[in-house]
Amino acid sequence: MTEPTDNGTRPVPMVLAESVHRTFGRHQALRGVSLRVEPGQVCCLIGPSGSGKTTLLRCVNHLEKIDAGRLWVDGELVGYREHKGKLYELHERDVARRRADIGMVFQRFNLFAHMTALENIIEAPVRVRRERRADAIERARALLERVGLGDRADSYPARLSGGQQQRVAIARALAMRPKLMLFDEPTSALDPELVGEVLDIMRGLAAEGMTMIVVTHEMGFAREVADTVVFMDGGVVVEAGSPAEVLGNPRHERTQAFLSKVL
């Protein structure tokens, strides 16, 4: 089922989560999370470790299956189709097709160690999108230039710094021409002096209108770039609003206590 526009006046949101639940054994990672991200917006998810931020991000990409609720990306249900009010899980090939439109950047880069930077970037476009190898290589070289690594196309991950590896990972995600980018604490594994070079790339994407959901502890980035900041704790959305509202004047005591430790 395609989620309709609101009375024909508002565009279909890029991401819409309604009462999403996800449980691991006895642990309720998500307990009725609702979220709306419009096309072109940047949404930053903040909160303590174990609050459900990464789980929500992985549900958006169907790397985790939801147990209850509904989740749409660009008007399409994530991982399921709906018929007469019942959900039916999609075949893996259909999940993979939809996932190809969503770029994801992980904490630990997840580059293929046996491939050069260029080979890492062209792998998915050639194998998943069925692009011509020559076209994929041309685009990969342009993306490497874009992230400031035009001279490192033939370098293997082991020969790159953490910041360089993460920039290759961003270029790899962009090579699929995604409509949505997900970032799971993309700077948390980096040395402090390397954080800025990754955040600069992300600022550029935001300025170009890329829709992004970012799990981050970089409050300065959230304040500067986010359209919406969502504070999560215990698997629920405690507070959401503009950076000025959530970071500058939080209403909830839990949000205030968290920010007092990180700002």
Side-chain angles (χ1 to χ4, degrees), residues 26-228:
R26 295 184 178 181
H27 174 61
Q28 291 184 299
L30 298 176
R31 300 186 293 132
V33 171
S34 295
L35 178 73
R36 184 181 183 119
V37 181
E38 304 293 348
Q41 285 191 336
V42 177
C43 173
C44 284
L45 304 180
I46 66 172
S49 298
S51 59
K53 307 182 302 295
T54 292
T55 299
L56 177 59
L57 210 66
R58 291 174 64 85
C59 287
V60 171
N61 210 15
H62 203 57
L63 294 174
E64 298 288 350
K65 300 175 184 179
I66 65 175
D67 297 311
R70 298 286 190 276
L71 211 169
W72 291 268
V73 170
D74 199 20
E76 290 190 320
L77 277 170
V78 174
Y80 300 90
R81 63 180 178 85
E82 188 167 8
H83 181 65
K84 295 182 178 179
K86 292 185 177 181
L87 291 182
Y88 298 89
E89 191 165 358
L90 294 175
H91 293 294
E92 182 56 38
R93 65 177 179 274
D94 295 318
V95 172
R97 176 182 60 81
R98 295 187 183 184
R99 188 182 289 140
D101 292 327
I102 305 172
M104 187 157 183
V105 178
F106 301 87
Q107 295 181 38
R108 290 288 177 177
F109 326 135
N110 288 12
L111 297 178
F112 297 114
H114 65 289
M115 294 182 178
T116 65
L118 183 74
E119 290 167 342
N120 265 281
I121 295 170
I122 69 171
E123 178 73 5
V126 170
R127 290 186 178 271
V128 179
R129 295 283 195 202
R130 303 298 181 186
E131 291 185 15
R132 292 177 58 248
R133 184 177 176 85
D135 293 339
I137 289 175
E138 181 179 0
R139 178 163 169 76
R141 291 192 182 281
L143 286 168
L144 283 170
E145 289 286 349
R146 178 178 179 178
V147 300
L149 295 173
D151 60 341
R152 305 308 298 268
D154 297 324
S155 298
Y156 288 91
R159 305 293 296 176
L160 300 173
S161 70
Q164 290 172 329
Q165 289 186 59
Q166 194 63 296
R167 283 187 281 160
V168 171
I170 293 172
R172 179 178 62 179
L174 292 174
M176 293 293 283
R177 297 183 173 88
K179 62 180 70 171
L180 169 67
M181 285 286 286
L182 308 177
F183 292 86
D184 185 13
E185 297 189 34
T187 61
S188 64
L190 302 180
D191 292 333
E193 64 269 23
L194 303 178
V195 169
E197 61 190 41
V198 173
L199 293 181
D200 283 344
I201 301 300
M202 296 171 64
R203 288 187 184 95
L205 290 175
E208 293 168 11
M210 173 64 74
T211 310
M212 299 161 58
I213 302 179
V214 184
V215 175
T216 186
H217 292 295
E218 300 290 339
M219 297 301 151
F221 174 83
R223 191 187 303 275
E224 174 189 351
V225 177
D227 297 286
T228 303

